[in-house]
Amino acid sequence: MKEIIQNALQNSFTYTEYRKLASKLVAQGKPTGHDLSEALAHYAELNETRMNRLEKTITISEGVKVKLEKNSKDYIWLVLSESWCGDAAQILPVINKMCEVSDAIQLKIVLRDDNDSLMQQFLTNGAKAIPKLIILDAQTLSVVAHWGPRPQGAKQLIEVYKSAHGVVDEAGKIELQKWYLHDKGISIQQEITEIMDQL
């Protein structure tokens, strides 16, 4: 596992680098990842707009700030992502702002399709669901916790929608985006901070 983590970190991006890569590919009509379909390129373009908006509007709550600032141990937050993923577009800007609050937390992002051996260690019900946040002890690179691919409320919404409709179609995806819009990143902040509190 340590070798897998080390390899992933060597292939990782800072948040700014990840955003630049995604933007560059969107300008070429492409998503990140190995599937370069038109549908995923379209989602990557939508996500570019979403992330631009969220970077301006997301705020970290005072309670979360206080808890993150108190943390003195060094961690690496390693996130598996791709530019076409709607959940990642909603979650990454929040995670990035949380990391900016604490000098002890370093954010690294890796592409799911380029890091399959890492993804295989963190499947959700057997699926390569992203984004996946892996919290590492910065000294030992051991995995101390993980979170994702989405907050509890969003997860429940999708489960209910799936059981009612059999699939998550376009209308389901719109419902999910509305949920994120109303939540304003609060659930993400609370759930990840709770994990950090327990470490």
Side-chain angles (χ1 to χ4, degrees):
M1 178 65 126
K2 192 169 180 180
E3 199 179 320
I4 292 171
I5 298 282
Q6 283 170 331
N7 288 340
L9 287 171
Q10 280 170 359
N11 292 322
S12 69
F13 301 91
T14 63
Y15 183 77
T16 307
E17 288 166 347
Y18 173 81
R19 292 288 283 120
K20 276 184 185 159
L21 173 69
S23 302
K24 189 177 101 180
L25 289 171
V26 162
Q28 297 166 12
K30 293 176 190 168
T32 61
H34 297 173
D35 177 353
L36 302 178
S37 68
E38 213 172 289
L40 292 191
H42 170 67
Y43 288 130
E45 194 178 341
L46 279 179
N47 290 337
E48 181 74 5
T49 308
R50 274 181 194 129
M51 291 181 86
N52 286 338
R53 188 191 74 241
L54 287 164
E55 284 162 2
K56 292 187 189 95
T57 58
I58 284 289
T59 54
I60 302 303
S61 77
E62 281 311 309
V64 168
K65 265 186 196 166
V66 167
K67 285 182 175 180
L68 290 172
E69 282 166 353
K70 269 199 319 200
N71 167 50
S72 57
K73 195 171 158 65
D74 290 339
Y75 293 101
I76 297 169
W77 286 8
L78 180 60
V79 183
L80 284 149
S81 183
E82 293 287 357
S83 68
W84 47 259
C85 175
D87 290 287
Q90 296 284 357
I91 293 168
L92 268 178
V94 182
I95 287 179
N96 180 53
K97 291 226 169 162
M98 288 176 78
C99 288
E100 286 176 347
V101 169
S102 170
D103 293 335
I105 303 167
Q106 195 183 1
L107 176 60
K108 293 289 183 183
I109 301 164
V110 290
L111 300 178
R112 182 193 78 168
D113 293 357
D114 290 346
N115 294 273
D116 193 58
S117 51
L118 179 65
M119 186 72 250
Q120 292 296 336
Q121 307 295 317
F122 296 96
L123 301 176
T124 305
N125 303 322
K128 298 179 188 181
I130 52 173
K132 196 78 183 176
L133 165 64
I134 304 157
I135 301 172
L136 306 170
D137 178 313
Q139 303 305 316
T140 63
L141 298 186
S142 54
V143 177
V144 291
H146 57 88
W147 177 90
R150 49 175 72 109
Q152 216 44 49
K155 193 176 149 190
Q156 280 161 356
L157 181 145
I158 288 298
E159 280 168 6
V160 169
Y161 193 92
K162 222 172 183 175
S163 65
H165 302 272
V167 291
V168 181
D169 53 14
E170 210 52 47
K173 286 175 185 169
I174 289 166
E175 286 305 307
L176 179 61
Q177 294 304 325
K178 280 185 193 163
W179 183 91
Y180 279 115
L181 197 65
H182 293 304
D183 187 70
K184 295 181 170 61
I186 291 163
S187 297
I188 299 160
Q189 293 177 48
Q190 286 172 344
E191 289 180 25
I192 297 173
T193 306
E194 272 171 31
I195 292 171
M196 294 301 288
D197 279 351
Q198 289 161 16
L199 297 178

PDB file of all heavy atoms in Angstrom, residues 1 4-5 80 115-124 132 134 146:
ATOM      1  N   MET A   1       0.830  -1.215   0.000  1.00  0.00           N
ATOM      2  CA  MET A   1       0.000   0.000   0.000  1.00  0.00           C
ATOM      3  C   MET A   1       0.867   1.269   0.000  1.00  0.00           C
ATOM      4  O   MET A   1       0.563   2.220  -0.719  1.00  0.00           O
ATOM      5  CB  MET A   1      -0.928  -0.011   1.218  1.00  0.00           C
ATOM      6  CG  MET A   1      -1.785   1.226   1.328  1.00  0.00           C
ATOM      7  SD  MET A   1      -2.961   1.427  -0.003  1.00  0.00           S
ATOM      8  CE  MET A   1      -4.449   1.599   0.894  1.00  0.00           C
ATOM      9  N   ILE A   4       2.051   2.058  -3.416  1.00  0.00           N
ATOM     10  CA  ILE A   4       0.934   2.585  -4.233  1.00  0.00           C
ATOM     11  C   ILE A   4       0.733   4.069  -3.921  1.00  0.00           C
ATOM     12  O   ILE A   4       0.586   4.889  -4.827  1.00  0.00           O
ATOM     13  CB  ILE A   4      -0.367   1.771  -3.981  1.00  0.00           C
ATOM     14  CG1 ILE A   4      -0.221   0.344  -4.524  1.00  0.00           C
ATOM     15  CG2 ILE A   4      -1.573   2.459  -4.611  1.00  0.00           C
ATOM     16  CD1 ILE A   4      -1.350  -0.597  -4.145  1.00  0.00           C
ATOM     17  N   ILE A   5       0.743   4.400  -2.634  1.00  0.00           N
ATOM     18  CA  ILE A   5       0.577   5.799  -2.193  1.00  0.00           C
ATOM     19  C   ILE A   5       1.727   6.665  -2.722  1.00  0.00           C
ATOM     20  O   ILE A   5       1.497   7.755  -3.259  1.00  0.00           O
ATOM     21  CB  ILE A   5       0.514   5.893  -0.644  1.00  0.00           C
ATOM     22  CG1 ILE A   5      -0.681   5.126  -0.072  1.00  0.00           C
ATOM     23  CG2 ILE A   5       0.548   7.348  -0.167  1.00  0.00           C
ATOM     24  CD1 ILE A   5      -2.034   5.758  -0.149  1.00  0.00           C
ATOM     25  N   LEU A  80      -8.799  11.317  -5.170  1.00  0.00           N
ATOM     26  CA  LEU A  80      -8.984  10.718  -6.500  1.00  0.00           C
ATOM     27  C   LEU A  80     -10.124  11.461  -7.179  1.00  0.00           C
ATOM     28  O   LEU A  80     -11.217  11.601  -6.607  1.00  0.00           O
ATOM     29  CB  LEU A  80      -9.338   9.235  -6.373  1.00  0.00           C
ATOM     30  CG  LEU A  80      -8.174   8.293  -6.034  1.00  0.00           C
ATOM     31  CD1 LEU A  80      -8.653   7.109  -5.222  1.00  0.00           C
ATOM     32  CD2 LEU A  80      -7.489   7.805  -7.308  1.00  0.00           C
ATOM     33  N   ASN A 115      -4.491   6.148 -11.957  1.00  0.00           N
ATOM     34  CA  ASN A 115      -4.045   5.582 -10.669  1.00  0.00           C
ATOM     35  C   ASN A 115      -4.967   4.450 -10.223  1.00  0.00           C
ATOM     36  O   ASN A 115      -5.515   4.463  -9.123  1.00  0.00           O
ATOM     37  CB  ASN A 115      -3.997   6.694  -9.611  1.00  0.00           C
ATOM     38  CG  ASN A 115      -2.932   7.726  -9.915  1.00  0.00           C
ATOM     39  OD1 ASN A 115      -1.783   7.570  -9.537  1.00  0.00           O
ATOM     40  ND2 ASN A 115      -3.301   8.772 -10.634  1.00  0.00           N
ATOM     41  N   ASP A 116      -5.109   3.473 -11.120  1.00  0.00           N
ATOM     42  CA  ASP A 116      -6.068   2.394 -10.875  1.00  0.00           C
ATOM     43  C   ASP A 116      -5.712   1.553  -9.646  1.00  0.00           C
ATOM     44  O   ASP A 116      -6.602   1.146  -8.897  1.00  0.00           O
ATOM     45  CB  ASP A 116      -6.193   1.493 -12.109  1.00  0.00           C
ATOM     46  CG  ASP A 116      -7.399   0.573 -11.992  1.00  0.00           C
ATOM     47  OD1 ASP A 116      -8.525   1.093 -11.844  1.00  0.00           O
ATOM     48  OD2 ASP A 116      -7.219  -0.663 -12.000  1.00  0.00           O
ATOM     49  N   SER A 117      -4.413   1.316  -9.414  1.00  0.00           N
ATOM     50  CA  SER A 117      -4.031   0.482  -8.265  1.00  0.00           C
ATOM     51  C   SER A 117      -4.447   1.151  -6.949  1.00  0.00           C
ATOM     52  O   SER A 117      -4.849   0.479  -6.002  1.00  0.00           O
ATOM     53  CB  SER A 117      -2.540   0.170  -8.273  1.00  0.00           C
ATOM     54  OG  SER A 117      -1.796   1.349  -8.411  1.00  0.00           O
ATOM     55  N   LEU A 118      -4.405   2.488  -6.906  1.00  0.00           N
ATOM     56  CA  LEU A 118      -4.870   3.213  -5.724  1.00  0.00           C
ATOM     57  C   LEU A 118      -6.402   3.152  -5.639  1.00  0.00           C
ATOM     58  O   LEU A 118      -6.959   2.862  -4.587  1.00  0.00           O
ATOM     59  CB  LEU A 118      -4.400   4.672  -5.778  1.00  0.00           C
ATOM     60  CG  LEU A 118      -4.830   5.559  -4.607  1.00  0.00           C
ATOM     61  CD1 LEU A 118      -4.214   5.100  -3.285  1.00  0.00           C
ATOM     62  CD2 LEU A 118      -4.473   7.024  -4.866  1.00  0.00           C
ATOM     63  N   MET A 119      -7.063   3.397  -6.768  1.00  0.00           N
ATOM     64  CA  MET A 119      -8.532   3.376  -6.797  1.00  0.00           C
ATOM     65  C   MET A 119      -9.072   2.025  -6.328  1.00  0.00           C
ATOM     66  O   MET A 119     -10.061   1.958  -5.599  1.00  0.00           O
ATOM     67  CB  MET A 119      -9.027   3.692  -8.222  1.00  0.00           C
ATOM     68  CG  MET A 119     -10.545   3.850  -8.343  1.00  0.00           C
ATOM     69  SD  MET A 119     -11.206   5.364  -7.603  1.00  0.00           S
ATOM     70  CE  MET A 119     -12.094   4.748  -6.164  1.00  0.00           C
ATOM     71  N   GLN A 120      -8.406   0.946  -6.730  1.00  0.00           N
ATOM     72  CA  GLN A 120      -8.854  -0.409  -6.359  1.00  0.00           C
ATOM     73  C   GLN A 120      -8.871  -0.637  -4.853  1.00  0.00           C
ATOM     74  O   GLN A 120      -9.621  -1.479  -4.355  1.00  0.00           O
ATOM     75  CB  GLN A 120      -7.959  -1.472  -7.027  1.00  0.00           C
ATOM     76  CG  GLN A 120      -8.086  -1.566  -8.535  1.00  0.00           C
ATOM     77  CD  GLN A 120      -9.471  -2.000  -9.003  1.00  0.00           C
ATOM     78  OE1 GLN A 120     -10.233  -2.646  -8.290  1.00  0.00           O
ATOM     79  NE2 GLN A 120      -9.818  -1.630 -10.229  1.00  0.00           N
ATOM     80  N   GLN A 121      -8.072   0.137  -4.120  1.00  0.00           N
ATOM     81  CA  GLN A 121      -8.024   0.003  -2.654  1.00  0.00           C
ATOM     82  C   GLN A 121      -9.193   0.725  -1.972  1.00  0.00           C
ATOM     83  O   GLN A 121      -9.438   0.520  -0.789  1.00  0.00           O
ATOM     84  CB  GLN A 121      -6.716   0.596  -2.099  1.00  0.00           C
ATOM     85  CG  GLN A 121      -5.445   0.092  -2.728  1.00  0.00           C
ATOM     86  CD  GLN A 121      -5.202  -1.388  -2.485  1.00  0.00           C
ATOM     87  OE1 GLN A 121      -5.405  -1.878  -1.374  1.00  0.00           O
ATOM     88  NE2 GLN A 121      -4.789  -2.098  -3.515  1.00  0.00           N
ATOM     89  N   PHE A 122      -9.881   1.599  -2.733  1.00  0.00           N
ATOM     90  CA  PHE A 122     -10.912   2.453  -2.124  1.00  0.00           C
ATOM     91  C   PHE A 122     -12.223   2.431  -2.905  1.00  0.00           C
ATOM     92  O   PHE A 122     -12.830   3.467  -3.150  1.00  0.00           O
ATOM     93  CB  PHE A 122     -10.382   3.892  -1.984  1.00  0.00           C
ATOM     94  CG  PHE A 122      -9.221   3.983  -1.049  1.00  0.00           C
ATOM     95  CD1 PHE A 122      -7.912   3.952  -1.546  1.00  0.00           C
ATOM     96  CD2 PHE A 122      -9.400   4.051   0.313  1.00  0.00           C
ATOM     97  CE1 PHE A 122      -6.828   4.012  -0.693  1.00  0.00           C
ATOM     98  CE2 PHE A 122      -8.319   4.115   1.182  1.00  0.00           C
ATOM     99  CZ  PHE A 122      -7.028   4.085   0.683  1.00  0.00           C
ATOM    100  N   LEU A 123     -12.637   1.233  -3.309  1.00  0.00           N
ATOM    101  CA  LEU A 123     -13.893   1.093  -4.058  1.00  0.00           C
ATOM    102  C   LEU A 123     -15.081   1.332  -3.133  1.00  0.00           C
ATOM    103  O   LEU A 123     -15.008   1.105  -1.928  1.00  0.00           O
ATOM    104  CB  LEU A 123     -13.976  -0.306  -4.680  1.00  0.00           C
ATOM    105  CG  LEU A 123     -12.847  -0.698  -5.655  1.00  0.00           C
ATOM    106  CD1 LEU A 123     -13.016  -2.140  -6.098  1.00  0.00           C
ATOM    107  CD2 LEU A 123     -12.804   0.234  -6.857  1.00  0.00           C
ATOM    108  N   THR A 124     -16.181   1.777  -3.719  1.00  0.00           N
ATOM    109  CA  THR A 124     -17.437   1.961  -2.979  1.00  0.00           C
ATOM    110  C   THR A 124     -18.429   0.957  -3.544  1.00  0.00           C
ATOM    111  O   THR A 124     -18.828   1.075  -4.705  1.00  0.00           O
ATOM    112  CB  THR A 124     -17.970   3.406  -3.153  1.00  0.00           C
ATOM    113  OG1 THR A 124     -16.942   4.321  -2.755  1.00  0.00           O
ATOM    114  CG2 THR A 124     -19.218   3.640  -2.328  1.00  0.00           C
ATOM    115  N   LYS A 132     -12.781  10.556  -4.005  1.00  0.00           N
ATOM    116  CA  LYS A 132     -12.454   9.791  -2.801  1.00  0.00           C
ATOM    117  C   LYS A 132     -11.312  10.517  -2.113  1.00  0.00           C
ATOM    118  O   LYS A 132     -10.252  10.729  -2.710  1.00  0.00           O
ATOM    119  CB  LYS A 132     -12.033   8.381  -3.211  1.00  0.00           C
ATOM    120  CG  LYS A 132     -12.032   7.404  -2.064  1.00  0.00           C
ATOM    121  CD  LYS A 132     -13.444   6.946  -1.743  1.00  0.00           C
ATOM    122  CE  LYS A 132     -13.430   6.014  -0.543  1.00  0.00           C
ATOM    123  NZ  LYS A 132     -14.755   5.625  -0.138  1.00  0.00           N
ATOM    124  N   ILE A 134      -8.522  10.480   0.659  1.00  0.00           N
ATOM    125  CA  ILE A 134      -7.720   9.565   1.475  1.00  0.00           C
ATOM    126  C   ILE A 134      -6.847  10.436   2.374  1.00  0.00           C
ATOM    127  O   ILE A 134      -6.070  11.261   1.881  1.00  0.00           O
ATOM    128  CB  ILE A 134      -6.848   8.657   0.578  1.00  0.00           C
ATOM    129  CG1 ILE A 134      -7.723   7.897  -0.429  1.00  0.00           C
ATOM    130  CG2 ILE A 134      -6.019   7.691   1.422  1.00  0.00           C
ATOM    131  CD1 ILE A 134      -6.966   7.439  -1.666  1.00  0.00           C
ATOM    132  N   HIS A 146     -10.573   7.681   5.383  1.00  0.00           N
ATOM    133  CA  HIS A 146     -10.986   8.079   4.032  1.00  0.00           C
ATOM    134  C   HIS A 146     -12.455   8.472   4.040  1.00  0.00           C
ATOM    135  O   HIS A 146     -13.200   8.119   4.957  1.00  0.00           O
ATOM    136  CB  HIS A 146     -10.683   6.986   2.994  1.00  0.00           C
ATOM    137  CG  HIS A 146     -11.309   5.660   3.285  1.00  0.00           C
ATOM    138  ND1 HIS A 146     -12.570   5.323   2.868  1.00  0.00           N
ATOM    139  CD2 HIS A 146     -10.827   4.588   3.974  1.00  0.00           C
ATOM    140  CE1 HIS A 146     -12.861   4.093   3.271  1.00  0.00           C
ATOM    141  NE2 HIS A 146     -11.820   3.628   3.949  1.00  0.00           N
TER     142      HIS A 146
END
